[in-house]
Amino acid sequence: MVENSPAPLPERAIYGFALFLGSWFGFILYLIWAYIPETWLFSLGLTYWPQKYWAVALPTYLLVAIGIGYILLFGVNMMSTAPLNSTHTITDNYAKKQQQKIHQEEAIPALRDIPISEVNRMFFLPEK
Amino acid sequence: EERQYRSASGTPIALRRRQHSASCRELAVRCPRLQPRYRLPPGRGGLDQSSVFAWLVLQNSMVLSAAIFITLVGLIIYLHFVKVDQESLLVIGSLGIKATSSYASGKESTTFIEMGQVKDVVINEAIHMQKVIYYLCILLQDPADPQGISEVVPLFQSSKPRLDCLKELYRSCQEILEQGRT
């Protein structure tokens, strides 16, 4: 579809440039807020800006959150792995409700979930 | 007869098969002995920080007796509840399957599943602690749905045999189960 292609378009170029300018502006504003002493800001009339404590605290919070996020993702993965005694290791809702398609001669058989007993017999019992 | 195999983590285990009658078979897996996981490097003579600290701490006899007591209690708990000596499976055709685990302290815990509930004994693979392992399990029949599986009972959880041993176990179980089906 033409609307969803990632090709460059004039509108996208304008958005990109606006974001570029906006991010530079935000960064310069952050540097001004963090470095210029409070008395100078007060003398300019800017009295209601947040405490400078946050100029250090917010990046720290962000970096610690990213670090914990790695550990958290690992832990969530381990928690959502099915235990060895659950039926989710063998089948699931879609496999239980699948319908048998009519077998046509000389056609490739339809894709289906083969029960585990059949698979085991094929793999591990040698057919004489 | 007894044959040597390896468990999933590489420790040696032994499988013993006995046929009691035409429709009754016992399969026992003996778990590995306690292996030392690491060895202190030889030739560690002289004093260094950790040994001096340990000596200073243990000078106080209260700490020493408490440490000895806790170690003894912990060892007894471990032997009684954790360390499995042997796991065995007794398959009696048309009657049921009995799985027993004997612990190092002599305790034995058994589960019996009657044959009417057993759908099949299969080798399944699943993710377990950053590894994919094969394990033998009993599939229990769902009374409502003849094709469905109500529960999965994993076997040999402490010894975790590898695929070659599991194939032997699978074939032995299937021979008995097939007699019941025909």
Side-chain angles (χ1 to χ4, degrees):
Chain A
M1 300 212 282
V2 180
E3 300 90 30
N4 286 348
S5 79
L9 296 172
E11 294 87 21
R12 289 178 178 168
I14 296 175
Y15 299 153
F17 191 59
L19 275 177
F20 171 72
L21 287 182
S23 61
W24 264 111
F25 174 69
F27 184 53
I28 303 291
L29 197 65
Y30 172 75
L31 289 181
I32 291 174
W33 169 45
Y35 280 106
I36 296 192
E38 280 213 321
T39 45
W40 293 17
L41 290 177
F42 287 168
S43 69
L44 284 173
L46 307 164
T47 55
Y48 209 59
W49 280 19
Q51 274 188 323
K52 281 175 186 295
Y53 161 80
W54 293 108
V56 178
L58 284 177
T60 313
Y61 271 127
L62 190 68
L63 290 176
V64 171
I66 291 176
I68 289 184
Y70 278 111
I71 301 172
L72 205 69
L73 185 68
F74 189 65
V76 166
N77 258 333
M78 282 185 74
M79 275 175 57
S80 53
T81 309
L84 291 187
N85 62 350
S86 95
T87 51
H88 291 285
T89 53
I90 298 197
T91 182
D92 67 352
N93 276 337
Y94 298 102
K96 282 184 200 153
K97 293 199 189 117
Q98 65 184 348
Q99 285 133 1
Q100 299 277 0
K101 301 230 172 69
I102 306 164
H103 178 74
Q104 291 164 347
E105 292 301 323
E106 302 206 352
I108 300 173
L111 196 66
R112 70 181 180 101
D113 188 41
I114 305 178
I116 186 169
S117 310
E118 259 182 66
V119 175
N120 265 257
R121 246 171 261 141
M122 194 191 75
F123 276 144
F124 301 126
L125 285 182
E127 292 296 326
K128 301 271 193 273
Chain B
E1 68 272 19
E2 188 162 314
R3 285 169 65 174
Q4 301 286 331
Y5 289 99
R6 289 205 168 260
S7 81
S9 44
T11 51
I13 57 177
L15 167 68
R16 198 186 64 215
R17 284 189 297 188
R18 287 164 64 178
Q19 175 125 8
H20 294 287
S21 85
S23 61
C24 174
R25 214 170 264 189
E26 184 180 353
L27 308 149
V29 172
R30 200 156 38 89
C31 295
R33 301 267 182 212
L34 276 171
Q35 303 275 352
R37 295 228 184 92
Y38 58 90
R39 286 225 172 97
L40 286 176
R44 237 178 91 114
L47 300 171
D48 65 346
Q49 281 195 352
S50 57
S51 54
V52 166
F53 179 66
W55 180 82
L56 280 173
V57 165
L58 294 175
Q59 279 297 313
N60 187 355
S61 64
M62 276 297 246
V63 175
L64 180 60
S65 12
I68 290 177
F69 180 69
I70 289 177
T71 306
L72 275 176
V73 168
L75 187 68
I76 289 179
I77 290 178
Y78 175 72
L79 290 179
H80 193 67
F81 290 108
V82 174
K83 173 84 180 72
V84 171
D85 209 17
Q86 173 174 291
E87 291 168 310
S88 78
L89 198 65
L90 180 69
V91 183
I92 306 178
S94 77
L95 189 65
I97 302 180
K98 180 173 94 152
T100 78
S101 318
S102 12
Y103 292 84
S105 62
K107 169 174 110 160
E108 284 197 6
S109 80
T110 71
T111 37
F112 178 76
I113 303 168
E114 55 167 351
M115 214 38 123
Q117 286 181 353
V118 167
K119 184 164 188 285
D120 204 359
V121 173
V122 299
I123 298 179
N124 191 14
E125 28 177 345
I127 301 176
H128 175 73
M129 302 278 278
Q130 294 89 45
K131 265 200 291 207
V132 174
I133 57 167
Y134 291 97
Y135 63 104
L136 196 71
C137 57
I138 304 177
L139 305 177
L140 297 188
Q141 191 109 27
D142 192 5
D145 173 21
Q147 301 291 324
I149 297 165
S150 77
E151 213 180 305
V152 171
V153 178
L155 302 170
F156 298 111
Q157 287 295 283
S158 307
S159 46
K160 291 202 182 61
R162 285 190 180 172
L163 193 60
D164 45 5
C165 182
L166 286 177
K167 280 189 204 171
E168 290 302 319
L169 293 166
Y170 176 74
R171 284 186 199 133
S172 300
C173 290
Q174 285 295 317
E175 280 167 20
I176 306 275
L177 290 177
E178 267 165 16
Q179 294 169 11
R181 282 197 206 112
T182 52

